[in-house]
């Protein structure tokens, strides 16, 4: 009996979505999946986008024809079972002379594979059979050899859903300067220190092309408010375009230019037309007016959200000196709320940490660096990767403190130091107090009666 797996709509690839394509070589490619188009994967072939729309994420597919048809296959990482052996490669000289096929013959096989005339398994089998030293290799060496050939000849790919983890890994490997060399473990520590959660109100200054903003929006899930301060008139958060966020998540996002932080600066002027004036406009002018009016209202709303304050946290990653940015935005942050600053250079944060520790507006300023080590995990073989990043940036975290002035009216009258016995008074319950008043009154009456009796006897 065949088990049928049911997928939700969110688990299936939709048209116009952004998809990350992982290839056997370990490289990845970000594409916008448009209907009725051919997606070119270079040496791994070309496939028709319509064949991928409606299919689930995470499955591996193989290109099987010139027309770009694909079919699901077992993921390439599952075909690496190796038996233990005591053999070694000490006497093997691995060079080009061991391969009987010439370079021209290999290129011809590869061309046939791209055209769909020859299966990938057959090409790899021909390469193995023509290798004179393959039988002398250990089982581990044979598996590595086959895997290298698969990366060259297999026309397979895996569509992956864009998430913060996959997007961060893509840019950190391909273009780390774009995200300021922020590694995934540093990003996770930043979100934890800033206490990012649903229904929170965050203030973010982001120069990592929107990586921090996207990670906060993903964690908030469309609940709360996020005000992003950016340089220039328009933000350059490119990573937002890759995340396939829903409309509810995008409504949480409120961008504000850095030049509009000051409350004394008026909003951009905009002439609001009356209903009669709108009716007199042409169709194109009406569409243009509605678009400009909606954009102006959005800018005013975003700025109003900033000036309302009461933010639950402040996250900064900026090319400016951190303390100058904090001085401008500190008044909008509530007390006992976290402030987290990221920088790839430790010296920048050291100066800011020294300034925070001398100020009464911050508490427990700490500079931290996280470390991450990747391991190769294969059957019978596990070891750290030889090529790894030496650093993923530094984080400066602190708490916002509101210094309240001393108010004598808040001090209880008659109170004092609990250790001072002279100022310590015992509080009586109402019942005991009434008994004490009655006893005192009775003593006074007895004294008065005795005085009257003494006067009468005299």
């Amino acid at each position: 009996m065949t088990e049928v797996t049911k997928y939700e709509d969110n688990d299936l690839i939709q048209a116009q979505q952004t998809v990350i394509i992982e290839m056997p070589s370990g490289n990845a490619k970000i594409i916008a999946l448009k209907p009725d188009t051919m997606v070119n994967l270079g040496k791994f072939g070309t496939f028709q986008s319509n064949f991928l729309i409606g299919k689930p994420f995470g499955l591996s597919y193989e290109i099987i024809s010139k027309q770009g048809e694909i079919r699901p296959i077992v993921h390439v990482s599952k075909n690496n079972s190796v038996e233990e052996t005591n053999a070694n490669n000490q006497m093997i000289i691995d060079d080009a002379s061991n391969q009987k096929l010439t370079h021209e013959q290999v290129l011809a096989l590869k061309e046939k594979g791209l055209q769909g005339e020859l299966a990938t398994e057959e090409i790899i089998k021909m390469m193995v059979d023509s290798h004179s030293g393959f039988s002398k290799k250990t089982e581990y060496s044979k598996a590595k050899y086959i895997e290298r050939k698969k990366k060259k000849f297999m026309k397979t790919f895996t569509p992956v859903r864009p998430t913060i983890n996959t997007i961060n890994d893509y840019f950190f490997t391909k273009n780390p300067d774009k995200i300021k060399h922020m590694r995934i473990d540093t990003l996770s520590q930043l979100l934890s220190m800033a206490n990012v959660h649903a229904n929170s109100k965050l203030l973010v200054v982001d120069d990592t092309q929107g990586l921090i903003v996207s990670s906060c929006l993903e964690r908030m899930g469309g609940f709360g408010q996020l005000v992003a301060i950016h340089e220039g008139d328009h933000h350059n958060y490119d990573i937002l375009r890759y995340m396939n966020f829903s409309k509810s998540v995008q409504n949480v996002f409120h961008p504000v230019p850095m030049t509009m932080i000051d409350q004394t600066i008026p909003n951009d002027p905009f002439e609001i037309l009356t209903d009669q004036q709108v009716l007199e406009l042409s169709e194109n002018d009406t569409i243009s007016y509605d678009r400009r009016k909606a954009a102006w209202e959005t800018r005013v709303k975003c700025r109003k959200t900033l000036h309302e304050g009461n933010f639950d946290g402040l996250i900064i990653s900026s090319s400016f000196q951190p303390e100058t940015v904090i001085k401008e935005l500190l008044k909008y942050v509530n007390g006992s709320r976290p402030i987290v600053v990221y920088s790839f250079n430790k010296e920048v944060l050291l100066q800011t940490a020294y300034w925070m520790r001398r100020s009464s507006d911050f508490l427990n300023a700490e500079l931290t660096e996280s470390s991450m080590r990747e391991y190769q995990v294969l059957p019978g073989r596990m070891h750290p990767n030889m090529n790894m990043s030496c650093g993923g940036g530094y984080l400066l975290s602190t708490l916002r403190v509101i210094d309240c002035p001393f108010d004598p009216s808040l001090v209880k009258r008659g109170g004092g130091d609990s250790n001072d016995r002279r100022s310590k008074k015992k509080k009586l319950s109402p019942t005991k107090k009434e008994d004490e008043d009655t006893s005192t009154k009775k003593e006074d009456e007895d004294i008065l009666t005795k005085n009257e009796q003494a006067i009468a006897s005299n």
Side-chain angles (χ1 to χ4, degrees):
M1 182 177 179
T2 305
E3 183 178 356
V4 179
T5 304
K6 295 184 178 179
Y7 295 95
E8 300 292 339
D9 292 340
N10 295 334
D11 298 327
L12 301 179
I13 302 173
Q14 304 295 332
Q16 306 299 336
Q17 275 190 339
T18 300
V19 182
I20 300 178
I21 302 295
E22 293 183 350
M23 291 168 280
S25 60
N27 298 327
K29 183 177 182 179
I30 296 181
I31 63 170
L33 200 63
K34 299 179 181 179
D36 304 323
T37 57
M38 299 295 293
V39 181
N40 188 5
L41 301 181
K43 66 179 182 179
F44 298 103
T46 305
F47 68 92
Q48 175 64 250
S49 61
N50 292 341
F51 292 124
L52 192 60
I53 296 175
K55 301 293 180 61
F57 287 99
L59 290 182
S60 294
Y61 300 91
E62 181 183 15
I63 303 173
I64 58 175
S65 67
K66 296 180 181 180
Q67 291 74 26
E69 296 180 0
I70 60 175
R71 65 179 179 186
I73 61 171
V74 179
H75 198 280
V76 294
S77 62
K78 295 183 178 180
N79 300 327
N80 49 19
S81 58
V82 179
E83 297 180 0
E84 295 185 6
T85 177
N86 295 324
N88 58 71
N89 301 327
Q90 183 177 1
M91 304 305 296
I92 296 178
I93 301 176
D94 197 1
D95 54 14
S97 60
N98 291 328
Q99 182 56 254
K100 297 178 182 178
L101 295 176
T102 63
H103 181 65
E104 290 75 12
Q105 292 174 331
V106 174
L107 291 179
L109 293 175
K110 188 175 182 180
E111 185 65 25
K112 290 183 179 180
L114 291 176
Q115 295 178 0
E117 299 176 1
L118 196 61
T120 306
E121 292 79 5
E122 297 180 7
I123 298 176
I124 296 176
K125 186 176 184 303
M126 294 174 65
M127 296 285 294
V128 170
D129 294 340
S130 60
H131 195 285
S132 59
F134 185 81
S135 59
K136 302 177 184 178
K137 293 178 177 288
T138 64
E139 296 300 321
Y140 293 131
S141 297
K142 291 178 181 179
K144 288 182 178 180
Y145 180 84
I146 294 175
E147 287 299 321
R148 288 198 302 268
K149 299 308 173 186
K150 284 182 179 180
K151 292 180 180 181
K152 280 188 175 183
F153 298 103
M154 287 189 70
K155 300 174 296 180
T156 61
F157 64 92
T158 306
V160 179
R161 183 197 307 275
T163 61
I164 289 301
N165 193 5
T166 56
I167 289 290
N168 183 270
D169 182 67
Y170 173 82
F171 283 105
F172 191 81
T173 303
K174 190 173 183 179
N175 189 8
D177 290 334
K178 188 171 184 177
I179 59 173
K180 304 299 180 182
H181 297 266
M182 179 177 286
R183 206 169 49 199
I184 186 63
D185 59 315
T186 306
L187 179 59
S188 63
Q189 290 291 325
L190 183 146
L191 297 176
S192 177
M193 292 177 177
N195 193 25
V196 180
H197 57 85
N199 294 315
S200 60
K201 188 176 181 181
L202 295 177
L203 184 58
V204 180
V205 182
D206 184 9
D207 67 344
T208 62
Q209 301 294 315
L211 178 64
I212 297 178
V213 170
S214 301
S215 59
C216 292
L217 290 175
E218 185 183 65
R219 178 167 289 195
M220 293 169 67
F223 299 95
Q225 290 178 327
L226 188 147
V227 176
I229 308 298
H230 59 84
E231 301 178 28
D233 295 334
H234 304 280
H235 67 80
N236 59 343
Y237 301 147
D238 291 339
I239 293 180
L240 280 175
R241 299 187 292 110
Y242 306 139
M243 294 302 298
N244 300 327
F245 282 140
S246 62
K247 193 66 176 178
S248 61
V249 175
Q250 297 178 20
N251 292 336
V252 174
F253 175 61
H254 304 286
V256 177
M258 192 169 289
T259 55
M260 302 300 290
I261 295 177
D262 192 356
Q263 299 184 17
T264 60
I265 299 177
N267 292 317
D268 296 333
F270 182 80
E271 183 183 358
I272 299 179
L273 302 179
T274 62
D275 296 340
Q276 183 63 29
Q277 291 175 330
V278 172
L279 292 175
E280 295 175 356
L281 297 176
S282 63
E283 183 179 356
N284 293 334
D285 292 339
T286 303
I287 296 175
S288 176
Y289 170 76
D290 292 339
R291 183 173 63 250
R292 290 185 288 108
K293 182 181 178 182
W296 178 79
E297 291 176 347
T298 301
R299 291 194 299 269
V300 173
K301 178 183 177 182
C302 294
R303 194 180 179 201
K304 181 181 178 182
T305 305
L306 169 65
H307 293 160
E308 288 175 353
N310 297 325
F311 285 93
D312 297 325
L314 173 61
I315 303 175
I316 297 175
S317 175
S318 175
S319 57
F320 297 101
Q321 196 67 22
E323 52 262 38
T324 61
V325 181
I326 295 175
K327 289 178 182 178
E328 293 292 331
L329 301 177
L330 188 62
K331 56 186 176 182
Y332 300 117
V333 183
N334 277 339
S336 301
R337 298 302 192 273
I339 298 175
V340 184
V341 186
Y342 168 80
S343 177
F344 186 67
N345 299 315
K346 179 173 64 175
E347 291 74 17
V348 175
L349 297 183
L350 283 174
Q351 182 178 350
T352 306
Y354 178 70
W355 167 72
M356 286 181 173
R357 289 168 182 170
R358 296 181 60 189
S359 173
S360 60
D361 295 328
F362 309 98
L363 179 66
N364 193 25
E366 291 184 345
L367 182 61
T368 60
E369 178 191 14
S370 60
S371 62
M372 183 178 71
R373 193 166 192 178
E374 298 178 354
Y375 280 81
Q376 170 192 284
V377 181
L378 294 173
R381 301 161 282 172
M382 185 178 75
H383 61 76
N385 290 342
M386 298 296 102
N387 298 324
M388 297 171 57
S389 61
C390 59
Y394 299 86
L395 294 174
L396 173 62
S397 60
T398 185
L399 286 177
R400 160 83 156 113
V401 176
I402 298 179
D403 189 11
C404 299
F406 176 73
D407 188 358
S409 63
L410 300 178
V411 181
K412 293 182 179 180
R413 297 182 180 275
D417 188 2
S418 59
N419 296 325
D420 190 356
R421 295 183 179 179
R422 291 174 299 180
S423 61
K424 184 177 182 181
K425 296 182 179 181
K426 184 177 181 181
K427 295 182 179 180
L428 300 177
S429 62
T431 304
K432 292 183 179 180
K433 189 175 181 180
E434 292 176 358
D435 294 344
E436 184 178 352
D437 293 341
T438 304
S439 176
T440 304
K441 184 177 181 180
K442 186 177 181 181
E443 291 178 358
D444 294 340
E445 292 177 352
D446 293 341
I447 294 174
L448 180 61
T449 303
K450 290 181 180 179
N451 293 334
E452 292 177 352
Q453 291 177 355
I455 293 173
S457 60
N458 292 330

